[in-house]
Amino acid sequence: MPTNDSHDLELLLTSHVPLIIIETHEETRVVDMIRRMSLQLGRPLFQWSVTEGLKRLEFEAQPQRHAADPTEVLRQIKAVKQGGIYLLSDYHPYLSDPIHVRLLKEIALNHGMVPHTLVLISHALEVPPELRMLTARFELQLPGREAIERIVQEEASLWAKTLGKGRVTTDRRSYDLLVQNLLGLSVSEVRRLARGAIRDDGAITESDLPRVMSAKFQLLERSAGVSFEYDTARFGDIGGLSNLKRWLERRQAAFLEPDPTLDPPKGILMVGVQGSGKSLAAKAVAGLWRLPLLRLDIGGIYNKYFGESERNLREAIKIAETMAPCVLWIDEIEKALAQGTNDDGVSSRILGTLLTWLAENRKSVFVVATANAIDRLPPELIRKGRLDEIFFVDLPDAEVRQQIFEIHLRKRDADPAQFDLHQLAEASEGFSGAEIEQAVVSALYLAREQQQ
């Protein structure tokens, strides 16, 4: 039974579309698909590249190296009176030449007389305006969960067969998480990352996941506004925030294993004074749920050219959706979205793009936005329906200050039992968590100086 990819591509090849655009990094896979279809359709198939020239693909034939020139190959195709399929690999640099554009247009307009089908394959390709009405795009589908499981199993069998060390060991949770984190990648990328997770020790464990998630992020198209945070945190590293911890624990299962009877959690907004642990809490959400953490710097997506800022935001969102399930941390969101009159409406357009995505997002991307001043946030962002809940992070009370002192002393290999934590908590009234940490750091430096 043909796959959806094969079916859709075959429809294009038989529907009298003269120009087909395929943007992909998997050229070999596309060429193999079209080779099989050309045999079924009985149409001659050629492939061109600037290094090899023009070559017939149904059988082994010497390439026509004289046709390596991007102008000459189009003139030759135009002169051929028998219809065929021509794959033009990485032709995108030559589409800025008006001669090439005109030749492509003439071949396409003559499709009724000579049914040539030109398939342009490249990693990225912008179609000139003159050709858009004659062009159709084909998008190679990414493998779904079942296909990824087959690839992982194939790589496990290959590892066992090659090294002769028996079966790859794993457990259900680690295996499911690996498959989940490989979603959004191409077949070749899935195979490469699955092989990397297996080959070190012949096992799939949760310790493989951070490396897989980092490698997945590296494979994606980069955006100026989003970065991968390698270090997450534990809620044990944070004093207080008990309400937030309970809220997240109640919704963890619904986010990681969607229940059709429940609306999946979208995200939270944390507002409070500087240094109160909002950023650390955002990292702890990813650590608690064992998810990759992406940081979106909205200020970093602004661009002086019209429309580029919104495009950068859409690209950053696309990366987050591809990395799903993940946590998307938007730090100090009010600084980027505060409404002003001196930016030609860029902030308003950025806000509109973000609000639309928050309302319509169906991917497993949990948003954690932090802000120091809620009064500077647009009211559209903080209304119910965009994010699930707003948490106010205040200065810690005496009990929480005591917890924070204990956390930071343990973190620096100091025994909290050797300190009067109650007295320290009383003396630090009005301190934020960050100020308490720095007090511990300064005290340790002073103690070392006095021991010398």
Side-chain angles (χ1 to χ4, degrees):
M1 182 177 179
T3 64
N4 289 336
D5 273 342
S6 301
H7 178 70
D8 293 345
L9 185 53
E10 186 175 351
L11 282 177
L12 283 178
L13 291 173
T14 57
S15 62
H16 304 292
V17 176
L19 301 176
I20 299 174
I21 305 299
I22 303 179
E23 293 184 345
T24 180
H25 291 282
E26 296 189 281
E27 180 180 312
T28 302
R29 181 182 170 199
V30 171
V31 172
D32 288 342
M33 289 173 60
I34 297 179
R35 182 190 282 114
R36 292 193 299 269
M37 292 175 193
S38 70
L39 292 173
Q40 295 171 1
L41 298 172
R43 299 182 65 187
L45 175 65
F46 301 84
Q47 183 176 17
W48 174 90
S49 72
V50 73
T51 56
E52 292 293 319
L54 193 64
K55 180 172 64 174
R56 186 82 178 254
L57 290 187
E58 296 101 314
F59 46 82
E60 293 297 328
Q62 292 297 318
Q64 303 174 33
R65 297 192 184 279
H66 66 277
D69 180 80
T71 306
E72 178 59 30
V73 69
L74 294 183
R75 293 190 188 279
Q76 181 169 326
I77 294 172
K78 182 183 175 184
V80 174
K81 300 306 179 184
Q82 179 189 4
I85 302 173
Y86 292 85
L87 311 181
L88 305 182
S89 301
D90 290 332
Y91 200 85
H92 61 278
Y94 311 110
L95 292 178
S96 58
D97 189 326
I99 294 178
H100 299 155
V101 174
R102 182 61 199 177
L103 282 168
L104 286 168
K105 186 173 182 178
E106 289 176 355
I107 294 170
L109 291 174
N110 196 42
H111 185 79
M113 299 295 294
V114 183
H116 290 317
T117 301
L118 275 58
V119 184
L120 281 67
I121 307 173
S122 177
H123 74 288
L125 199 152
E126 185 65 31
V127 180
E130 302 94 318
L131 302 177
R132 287 175 187 166
M133 296 299 292
L134 303 167
T135 302
R137 284 185 178 269
F138 172 76
E139 185 173 346
L140 197 63
Q141 294 183 10
L142 297 173
R145 187 177 185 89
E146 291 184 3
I148 291 175
E149 288 185 0
R150 284 197 301 271
I151 295 172
V152 173
Q153 291 164 8
E154 289 171 4
E155 289 301 318
S157 299
L158 181 62
W159 180 89
K161 182 178 179 180
T162 303
L163 298 180
K165 293 185 177 181
R167 299 178 62 183
V168 172
T169 60
T170 187
D171 59 83
R172 173 50 63 178
R173 175 175 171 79
S174 299
Y175 177 79
D176 288 343
L177 286 173
L178 175 66
V179 172
Q180 183 73 27
N181 281 288
L182 291 176
L183 289 169
L185 297 178
S186 67
V187 170
S188 59
E189 291 165 344
V190 168
R191 191 173 297 281
R192 184 160 72 250
L193 294 189
R195 186 179 302 148
I198 292 169
R199 67 183 177 185
D200 291 338
D201 52 7
I204 298 174
T205 63
E206 289 194 33
S207 62
D208 294 316
L209 298 179
R211 186 169 64 252
V212 169
M213 292 184 293
S214 175
K216 179 179 178 179
F217 180 78
Q218 296 297 326
L219 289 170
L220 301 177
E221 295 291 337
R222 293 306 189 84
S223 167
V226 66
S227 60
F228 184 85
E229 295 289 321
Y230 292 88
D231 296 324
T232 57
R234 298 179 301 110
F235 269 108
D237 299 331
I238 308 173
L241 302 182
S242 55
N243 289 337
L244 173 61
K245 295 175 188 176
R246 286 195 298 271
W247 191 93
L248 291 168
E249 287 169 354
R250 291 192 190 107
R251 287 159 178 78
Q252 179 176 357
F255 183 80
L256 299 178
E257 300 173 9
D259 184 339
T261 64
L262 295 173
D263 291 338
K266 294 181 178 181
I268 57 174
L269 172 65
M270 289 190 292
V271 183
V273 297
Q274 295 186 13
S276 56
K278 300 186 298 298
S279 298
L280 189 60
K283 294 183 177 182
V285 174
L288 175 67
W289 288 1
R290 298 182 181 179
L291 295 176
L293 176 64
L294 301 182
R295 180 173 181 176
L296 175 60
D297 176 15
I298 292 191
I301 67 176
Y302 277 83
N303 189 291
K304 63 181 179 180
Y305 296 108
F306 183 83
E308 284 296 298
S309 300
E310 303 93 285
R311 185 180 67 83
N312 289 340
L313 177 58
R314 287 192 293 270
E315 288 182 356
I317 289 172
K318 184 177 179 180
I319 289 177
E321 291 179 339
T322 305
M323 288 291 292
C326 67
V327 174
L328 182 63
W329 168 28
I330 310 176
D331 197 23
E332 296 186 337
I333 190 173
E334 80 279 13
K335 292 184 178 179
L337 297 183
Q339 301 295 294
T341 58
N342 299 321
D343 63 357
D344 296 324
V346 177
S347 295
S348 297
R349 294 195 299 272
I350 288 288
L351 174 63
T353 301
L354 182 61
L355 292 178
T356 300
W357 176 70
L358 288 174
E360 299 179 355
N361 175 38
R362 295 298 179 267
K363 300 288 187 179
S364 297
V365 179
F366 187 80
V367 176
V368 179
T370 63
N372 295 322
I374 193 171
D375 58 307
R376 295 180 57 190
L377 288 173
E380 305 98 306
L381 179 66
I382 59 179
R383 76 165 178 81
K384 289 289 187 179
R386 307 295 188 189
L387 297 171
D388 299 311
E389 200 61 77
I390 299 176
F391 291 90
F392 178 70
V393 186
D394 202 354
L395 291 172
D397 58 23
E399 181 180 352
V400 174
R401 291 197 299 273
Q402 189 169 322
Q403 294 175 14
I404 296 173
F405 271 112
E406 184 175 353
I407 289 168
H408 290 297
L409 288 169
R410 288 189 187 281
K411 196 174 182 179
R412 292 161 178 81
D413 297 325
D415 184 6
Q418 303 297 317
F419 298 84
D420 189 341
L421 298 179
H422 178 75
Q423 184 177 354
L424 289 172
E426 292 295 329
S428 59
E429 184 176 358
F431 280 35
S432 67
E435 290 168 335
I436 292 174
E437 180 180 11
Q438 288 307 305
V440 172
V441 171
S442 299
L444 291 174
Y445 272 110
L446 181 60
R448 173 174 291 188
E449 178 186 351
Q450 292 178 350
Q451 289 174 359
Q452 291 177 348

